[in-house]
Amino acid sequence: MIEMVIDARRKDLGGFEVGRVLPFHSRRMVGPFIFLDQMGPAEFAPGAEAINVRPHPHIGLSTLTYLFEGEIMHRDNTGVTQAIRPGEVNWMTAGSGIVHSERTDPLKKSQGGPMHGMQAWIALPTEHEETAPAFHHLGEDGQPAYENGGLFARLVAGEAYGAKAAAPISSPLFYVHWELAEGVRTAPPPGTGAGGYSERALYVAKGEIEVGDRVFHEGQMIVLEPTAEPTVKAIRPSTVMVLGGEPVGPRVIWWNFVSSTQARIDQAKEDWKAGRMALPAEDDLEFIPLPDTPSTPEPAPTKPEPTHPV
């Protein structure tokens, strides 16, 4: 029933912890999901630095930011400035190249408060890797939701349970947020045995769940076998992200760049180093420089971590 269990690797970024889940050395992707981070949970004191991610580039992917608590201000070089709050979705398609920053608004920083959320990178299909960059902000009305008997479920992106979210996906996928009361039982979207998705996983962002006869806790991803049809039970109140979809093929990932070819990664490195990728007009006084060494989200301790949390 369970193909693999991945423990998030926690990294302290100076009062703010990030848990890196994907990619993992023996499991690079789940469907098109090539990167998954849990941001926090954290409680920032008034005036604390909070989120301060300088402008940086992406190619060949879409980023999906989703919050349980807090607020992040997004700015990019397509001209978008957009705050994201709990229950909303920031969907950014990098395609041929985009530059963005993510920061805490000065007023929010002065007030302090909680921060907890998820960020995923979704690799674009080969035919869409060089699409024009774009950004979409989606409110709660763009994400179908269900609530009954201690189960809250929100379809953040893709298609599942007969519903379709508004995020402009480029390949078959699903991404679901569950809030489970103690004792609640539910099930992920079906696998290949029932004509569903070929790759699926559960990530426990908070709490403790039972899958089959095994118990899993916060910070663990459970990758399901393709034909498994498990029942999930909440041992205590839990927050779970359910995700998966169809593979898009092997991908190279280096720093913030994702591509089906190494040559395209190398070109993106040169473009960023040479200043050929414009900074956001409203946030152009600083940026994250290209790392001197290959810095990827690999979990291997001999390789450096990314210079930013997303």
Side-chain angles (χ1 to χ4, degrees):
M1 182 179 295
I2 295 171
E3 183 177 302
M4 166 183 309
V5 178
I6 301 172
D7 291 311
R9 286 84 65 197
R10 304 295 294 183
K11 183 177 179 61
D12 189 344
L13 300 175
F16 180 66
E17 278 199 345
V18 170
R20 178 67 36 77
V21 188
L22 292 175
F24 187 59
H25 62 84
S26 56
R27 183 75 194 211
R28 307 294 296 171
M29 302 169 70
V30 175
F33 288 82
I34 194 168
F35 178 100
L36 187 70
D37 262 5
Q38 180 177 0
M39 304 179 289
E43 183 72 32
F44 295 117
E49 187 58 39
I51 303 296
N52 188 29
V53 183
R54 293 168 290 160
H56 57 279
H58 291 284
I59 65 164
L61 56 83
S62 292
T63 66
L64 193 168
T65 305
Y66 181 79
L67 300 181
F68 307 122
E69 295 182 288
E71 179 181 304
I72 299 175
M73 182 65 72
H74 162 99
R75 294 180 177 88
D76 67 44
N77 65 351
T78 72
V80 172
T81 296
Q82 177 65 57
I84 180 174
R85 301 176 180 88
E88 301 174 345
V89 167
N90 273 4
W91 180 281
M92 183 182 76
T93 298
S96 60
I98 200 167
V99 179
H100 77 133
S101 65
E102 291 172 295
R103 304 185 190 260
T104 298
D105 179 85
L107 176 59
K108 293 291 183 181
K109 185 186 297 187
S110 69
Q111 296 171 341
M115 174 58 63
H116 190 199
M118 305 292 300
Q119 184 162 87
W121 295 359
I122 295 105
L124 293 171
T126 305
E127 64 271 22
H128 294 298
E129 285 185 293
E130 296 300 321
T131 192
F135 180 89
H136 296 82
H137 175 78
L138 306 163
E140 292 185 62
D141 57 351
Q143 305 160 64
Y146 170 85
E147 187 167 12
N148 187 43
L151 165 67
F152 171 80
R154 175 182 285 130
L155 180 60
V156 178
E159 297 186 48
Y161 306 115
K164 183 177 182 178
I169 63 173
S170 299
S171 66
L173 65 86
F174 69 93
Y175 194 36
V176 178
H177 169 201
W178 284 345
E179 290 291 336
L180 308 173
E182 181 178 335
V184 167
R185 297 175 184 268
T186 187
T192 55
Y197 292 99
S198 61
E199 298 189 2
R200 298 164 298 152
L202 311 163
Y203 179 70
V204 186
K206 184 178 72 175
E208 193 173 43
I209 63 173
E210 183 179 80
V211 183
D213 58 356
R214 298 174 62 181
V215 174
F216 302 95
H217 56 76
E218 179 178 332
Q220 291 189 303
M221 171 177 274
I222 305 101
V223 181
L224 301 171
E225 292 182 346
T227 59
E229 300 298 337
T231 296
V232 178
K233 177 184 176 182
I235 304 301
R236 53 191 176 92
S238 300
T239 301
V240 180
M241 301 305 290
V242 195
L243 61 129
E246 300 309 314
V248 294
R251 288 293 182 271
V252 181
I253 180 170
W254 192 96
W255 193 41
N256 307 310
F257 304 134
V258 170
S259 179
S260 56
T261 70
Q262 182 63 50
R264 183 65 181 92
I265 296 284
D266 293 340
Q267 181 63 58
K269 290 158 62 175
E270 290 303 314
D271 289 343
W272 184 242
K273 188 174 182 179
R276 289 191 288 266
M277 300 177 75
L279 299 176
E282 295 189 5
D283 193 350
D284 62 355
L285 299 181
E286 59 179 351
F287 60 89
I288 300 176
L290 189 79
D292 293 330
T293 57
S295 177
T296 74
E298 279 282 356
T302 56
K303 296 186 178 181
E305 287 286 333
T307 54
H308 59 87
V310 294

mmCIF file of all heavy atoms in Angstrom, residues 93-110:
data_model
loop_
_atom_site.group_PDB
_atom_site.id
_atom_site.type_symbol
_atom_site.label_atom_id
_atom_site.label_comp_id
_atom_site.label_asym_id
_atom_site.label_seq_id
_atom_site.Cartn_x
_atom_site.Cartn_y
_atom_site.Cartn_z
ATOM 1 N N THR A 93 3.359 30.989 -13.153
ATOM 2 C CA THR A 93 3.961 30.170 -14.206
ATOM 3 C C THR A 93 5.215 30.870 -14.705
ATOM 4 O O THR A 93 5.138 31.953 -15.292
ATOM 5 C CB THR A 93 2.968 29.944 -15.350
ATOM 6 O OG1 THR A 93 1.830 29.227 -14.844
ATOM 7 C CG2 THR A 93 3.609 29.130 -16.469
ATOM 8 N N ALA A 94 6.360 30.237 -14.463
ATOM 9 C CA ALA A 94 7.632 30.830 -14.872
ATOM 10 C C ALA A 94 7.849 30.678 -16.368
ATOM 11 O O ALA A 94 8.279 31.616 -17.041
ATOM 12 C CB ALA A 94 8.781 30.178 -14.107
ATOM 13 N N GLY A 95 7.584 29.486 -16.917
ATOM 14 C CA GLY A 95 7.768 29.261 -18.335
ATOM 15 C C GLY A 95 9.164 29.640 -18.791
ATOM 16 O O GLY A 95 10.172 29.151 -18.270
ATOM 17 N N SER A 96 9.253 30.557 -19.748
ATOM 18 C CA SER A 96 10.542 30.952 -20.311
ATOM 19 C C SER A 96 11.382 31.787 -19.350
ATOM 20 O O SER A 96 12.560 32.006 -19.616
ATOM 21 C CB SER A 96 10.316 31.740 -21.605
ATOM 22 O OG SER A 96 9.546 32.905 -21.352
ATOM 23 N N GLY A 97 10.788 32.249 -18.259
ATOM 24 C CA GLY A 97 11.569 32.966 -17.270
ATOM 25 C C GLY A 97 10.795 34.058 -16.566
ATOM 26 O O GLY A 97 10.141 34.884 -17.203
ATOM 27 N N ILE A 98 10.852 34.056 -15.229
ATOM 28 C CA ILE A 98 10.206 35.084 -14.426
ATOM 29 C C ILE A 98 11.098 35.365 -13.225
ATOM 30 O O ILE A 98 11.893 34.520 -12.818
ATOM 31 C CB ILE A 98 8.793 34.642 -13.982
ATOM 32 C CG1 ILE A 98 7.926 35.825 -13.575
ATOM 33 C CG2 ILE A 98 8.868 33.619 -12.844
ATOM 34 C CD1 ILE A 98 6.453 35.492 -13.423
ATOM 35 N N VAL A 99 10.986 36.569 -12.687
ATOM 36 C CA VAL A 99 11.721 36.963 -11.487
ATOM 37 C C VAL A 99 10.711 37.476 -10.478
ATOM 38 O O VAL A 99 9.851 38.297 -10.828
ATOM 39 C CB VAL A 99 12.765 38.062 -11.807
ATOM 40 C CG1 VAL A 99 13.509 38.472 -10.537
ATOM 41 C CG2 VAL A 99 13.740 37.573 -12.869
ATOM 42 N N HIS A 100 10.802 36.998 -9.241
ATOM 43 C CA HIS A 100 9.853 37.464 -8.225
ATOM 44 C C HIS A 100 10.509 37.535 -6.859
ATOM 45 O O HIS A 100 11.576 36.964 -6.622
ATOM 46 C CB HIS A 100 8.604 36.563 -8.186
ATOM 47 C CG HIS A 100 8.789 35.255 -7.487
ATOM 48 N ND1 HIS A 100 7.893 34.775 -6.551
ATOM 49 C CD2 HIS A 100 9.758 34.315 -7.583
ATOM 50 C CE1 HIS A 100 8.293 33.595 -6.113
ATOM 51 N NE2 HIS A 100 9.416 33.287 -6.723
ATOM 52 N N SER A 101 9.851 38.247 -5.959
ATOM 53 C CA SER A 101 10.259 38.312 -4.557
ATOM 54 C C SER A 101 9.060 37.974 -3.692
ATOM 55 O O SER A 101 7.908 38.088 -4.135
ATOM 56 C CB SER A 101 10.782 39.706 -4.200
ATOM 57 O OG SER A 101 9.744 40.676 -4.304
ATOM 58 N N GLU A 102 9.329 37.556 -2.471
ATOM 59 C CA GLU A 102 8.275 37.258 -1.497
ATOM 60 C C GLU A 102 8.709 37.821 -0.154
ATOM 61 O O GLU A 102 9.743 37.422 0.385
ATOM 62 C CB GLU A 102 8.035 35.748 -1.415
ATOM 63 C CG GLU A 102 7.395 35.197 -2.681
ATOM 64 C CD GLU A 102 7.336 33.678 -2.691
ATOM 65 O OE1 GLU A 102 8.409 33.050 -2.721
ATOM 66 O OE2 GLU A 102 6.220 33.133 -2.655
ATOM 67 N N ARG A 103 7.922 38.737 0.350
ATOM 68 C CA ARG A 103 8.303 39.429 1.579
ATOM 69 C C ARG A 103 7.080 39.635 2.473
ATOM 70 O O ARG A 103 5.938 39.563 2.013
ATOM 71 C CB ARG A 103 8.930 40.779 1.258
ATOM 72 C CG ARG A 103 10.141 40.744 0.304
ATOM 73 C CD ARG A 103 10.722 42.118 0.169
ATOM 74 N NE ARG A 103 11.726 42.259 -0.873
ATOM 75 C CZ ARG A 103 13.049 42.267 -0.678
ATOM 76 N NH1 ARG A 103 13.522 42.086 0.536
ATOM 77 N NH2 ARG A 103 13.882 42.452 -1.694
ATOM 78 N N THR A 104 7.366 39.949 3.727
ATOM 79 C CA THR A 104 6.306 40.370 4.634
ATOM 80 C C THR A 104 6.119 41.873 4.505
ATOM 81 O O THR A 104 7.096 42.636 4.526
ATOM 82 C CB THR A 104 6.661 40.007 6.088
ATOM 83 O OG1 THR A 104 6.792 38.591 6.199
ATOM 84 C CG2 THR A 104 5.577 40.471 7.048
ATOM 85 N N ASP A 105 4.878 42.311 4.336
ATOM 86 C CA ASP A 105 4.571 43.728 4.236
ATOM 87 C C ASP A 105 5.064 44.449 5.503
ATOM 88 O O ASP A 105 4.946 43.917 6.614
ATOM 89 C CB ASP A 105 3.055 43.896 4.091
ATOM 90 C CG ASP A 105 2.643 45.344 3.997
ATOM 91 O OD1 ASP A 105 2.680 45.889 2.882
ATOM 92 O OD2 ASP A 105 2.291 45.925 5.043
ATOM 93 N N PRO A 106 5.631 45.653 5.364
ATOM 94 C CA PRO A 106 6.162 46.362 6.540
ATOM 95 C C PRO A 106 5.158 46.511 7.682
ATOM 96 O O PRO A 106 5.531 46.412 8.852
ATOM 97 C CB PRO A 106 6.569 47.723 5.967
ATOM 98 C CG PRO A 106 6.915 47.431 4.538
ATOM 99 C CD PRO A 106 5.934 46.372 4.120
ATOM 100 N N LEU A 107 3.893 46.773 7.372
ATOM 101 C CA LEU A 107 2.890 46.904 8.428
ATOM 102 C C LEU A 107 2.707 45.590 9.154
ATOM 103 O O LEU A 107 2.669 45.543 10.393
ATOM 104 C CB LEU A 107 1.557 47.378 7.844
ATOM 105 C CG LEU A 107 0.396 47.473 8.846
ATOM 106 C CD1 LEU A 107 0.739 48.439 9.971
ATOM 107 C CD2 LEU A 107 -0.893 47.884 8.135
ATOM 108 N N LYS A 108 2.615 44.498 8.406
ATOM 109 C CA LYS A 108 2.475 43.181 9.032
ATOM 110 C C LYS A 108 3.707 42.856 9.865
ATOM 111 O O LYS A 108 3.625 42.241 10.926
ATOM 112 C CB LYS A 108 2.254 42.114 7.967
ATOM 113 C CG LYS A 108 0.930 42.231 7.230
ATOM 114 C CD LYS A 108 -0.228 41.890 8.141
ATOM 115 C CE LYS A 108 -1.549 41.927 7.378
ATOM 116 N NZ LYS A 108 -2.709 41.623 8.252
ATOM 117 N N LYS A 109 4.887 43.239 9.347
ATOM 118 C CA LYS A 109 6.126 42.985 10.076
ATOM 119 C C LYS A 109 6.120 43.707 11.419
ATOM 120 O O LYS A 109 6.544 43.168 12.448
ATOM 121 C CB LYS A 109 7.321 43.426 9.235
ATOM 122 C CG LYS A 109 8.666 43.085 9.852
ATOM 123 C CD LYS A 109 9.821 43.662 9.052
ATOM 124 C CE LYS A 109 9.888 43.082 7.663
ATOM 125 N NZ LYS A 109 11.115 43.534 6.945
ATOM 126 N N SER A 110 5.620 44.943 11.430
ATOM 127 C CA SER A 110 5.591 45.718 12.678
ATOM 128 C C SER A 110 4.636 45.114 13.698
ATOM 129 O O SER A 110 4.835 45.247 14.903
ATOM 130 C CB SER A 110 5.188 47.163 12.383
ATOM 131 O OG SER A 110 3.830 47.253 11.969
#
